[in-house]
Amino acid sequence: MRLKRFTLFFVLLLVLGACGETSSQNQNSDEKGSGKWAEIKENGELVVGTPGTLYPTSYYPEGSDELTGYDVEVIKEIAKRLDIDVKFEILGFDAMLASLKSGRIDVAQAGLREASKKKFAFSDPYKYSYSTMIVRKDEVADFKALADLDGKKAGGAATTVYSDIARKFGAEVKTYGNVTNDVYLKDVDNGRTDVIINDYYLQSLALEAFPDLDITIHPDLKFYPTTQNVVMDKDADLLKEKINEVLAGMREDGTLTELSGKFFGGKDVSKKPDEDIIEIEGIE
């Protein structure tokens, strides 16, 4: 009888120990997933990396020291609905994800790439687009396909998907720091570079701002569909959940459409474009 009692007591200890271990593991997992959100709430602000030089998504209007743009206003509205302040850190794209990894910023805004998915978490998209190329008007016919990038000079940042596309098809990439759109555009116009590969909506508006430049968007080459997302720590599960909830609300109540119309000439970038877009294999 005493042996049976001892055996039962021992089994109960094992069961309770296993439950305690599982509970501890779940608690650690919960703390890990909610830690970034708890930190942000405690600090009372969301620190966001943004270039500040990219019209119309993140820029300073002429004569103003107040940052604005589609990305900027989307993140401001997210912070407002989460009842926290927002602080912007001006960073070049090449420094953005490194700053996120080091903890200098809480979130960034960038497109979804497979390599980055292994290191960071991404919100649902709040912008859909695709890639195009700006070339000199008298050289449109020289670019019948992406393969015609071979031997050309393409302007871009070092680590963007657009530069990866240019390199994939044989172009030499002339890299820039965190410069404004006009620097890229003028270099195509004056012959220092031959092409800029970038987002369709951004390129369209950039051209409108500089009508005197002898450059244009290629009318036929539309390729590599893209999105813009809020990027955060890989383990920031609760923060991602909250941001996605807010974005869903902004989509449903028309806020994303309204902000898009304001910054993209009435176009709604919050919806997938209805275009025949060329997919590119081997670009993450």
Side-chain angles (χ1 to χ4, degrees):
M1 185 68 175
R2 290 175 62 186
L3 180 60
K4 287 183 179 180
R5 286 177 180 172
F6 175 79
T7 302
L8 180 60
F9 178 69
F10 181 70
V11 170
L12 283 172
L13 283 177
L14 288 176
V15 171
L16 289 173
C19 290
E21 184 178 351
T22 301
S23 175
S24 176
Q25 288 175 347
N26 289 340
Q27 183 177 358
N28 289 338
S29 177
D30 289 343
E31 287 176 355
K32 194 174 184 180
S34 62
K36 174 53 72 173
W37 172 243
E39 176 188 324
I40 291 167
K41 284 291 286 182
E42 183 178 351
N43 293 336
E45 67 178 10
L46 182 70
V47 182
V48 182
T50 194
T53 57
L54 192 59
Y55 176 83
T57 58
S58 171
Y59 68 101
Y60 291 95
E62 188 174 352
S64 173
D65 59 358
E66 184 174 349
L67 189 68
T68 190
Y70 181 65
D71 282 2
V72 170
E73 298 305 328
V74 165
I75 208 73
K76 282 181 181 178
E77 184 64 21
I78 289 172
K80 178 182 176 182
R81 297 190 187 199
L82 291 176
D83 195 28
I84 51 178
D85 294 331
V86 61
K87 175 186 175 184
F88 292 100
E89 290 278 346
I90 303 302
L91 297 166
F93 181 83
D94 294 338
M96 203 82 70
L97 296 184
S99 296
L100 182 58
K101 195 172 183 65
S102 70
R104 176 180 173 183
I105 59 176
D106 298 317
V107 300
Q109 291 163 283
L112 178 60
R113 301 184 70 180
E114 288 303 316
S116 298
K117 276 177 67 176
K118 299 172 183 177
K119 303 174 185 176
F120 304 100
F122 289 77
S123 74
D124 295 333
Y126 61 86
K127 176 177 178 282
Y128 295 88
S129 187
Y130 55 92
S131 306
T132 54
M133 58 172 69
I134 284 178
V135 297
R136 287 180 286 279
K137 289 179 180 178
D138 61 356
E139 295 183 4
V140 169
D142 294 344
F143 294 87
K144 296 180 177 64
L146 291 172
D148 293 323
L149 286 165
D150 189 28
K152 300 294 193 296
K153 288 184 179 180
T159 61
T160 65
V161 66
Y162 307 114
S163 293
D164 287 348
I165 292 170
R167 293 188 188 97
K168 177 179 175 64
F169 291 97
E172 174 191 346
V173 177
K174 172 180 168 57
T175 59
Y176 297 77
N178 194 29
V179 299
T180 53
N181 289 343
D182 62 301
V183 177
Y184 287 95
L185 299 175
K186 289 174 181 176
D187 274 2
V188 176
D189 180 61
N190 62 35
R192 289 193 180 95
T193 58
D194 302 304
V195 60
I196 306 167
I197 297 175
N198 211 302
D199 175 87
Y200 164 71
Y201 293 110
L202 298 185
Q203 304 237 70
S204 298
L205 289 169
L207 283 182
E208 288 179 14
F210 299 94
D212 295 335
L213 298 181
D214 194 30
I215 55 179
T216 186
I217 289 180
H218 197 289
D220 303 319
L221 294 177
K222 303 171 183 179
F223 49 95
Y224 196 79
T226 58
T227 63
Q228 190 78 339
N229 313 66
V230 181
V231 194
M232 63 210 86
D233 286 347
K234 183 70 174 175
D235 298 316
D237 298 335
L238 185 55
L239 177 61
K240 177 181 174 180
E241 179 183 326
K242 287 184 174 296
I243 288 175
N244 279 339
E245 287 175 358
V246 170
L247 285 173
M250 291 170 66
R251 187 171 289 106
E252 185 176 346
D253 66 20
T255 300
L256 287 180
T257 298
E258 181 182 347
L259 288 174
S260 175
K262 177 180 178 181
F263 291 101
F264 290 97
K267 297 174 182 176
D268 191 355
V269 303
S270 70
K271 297 178 181 177
K272 290 183 179 180
D274 185 19
E275 299 280 352
D276 187 15
I277 302 169
I278 301 168
E279 298 281 352
I280 300 177
E281 294 183 3
I283 297 291
E284 294 185 347

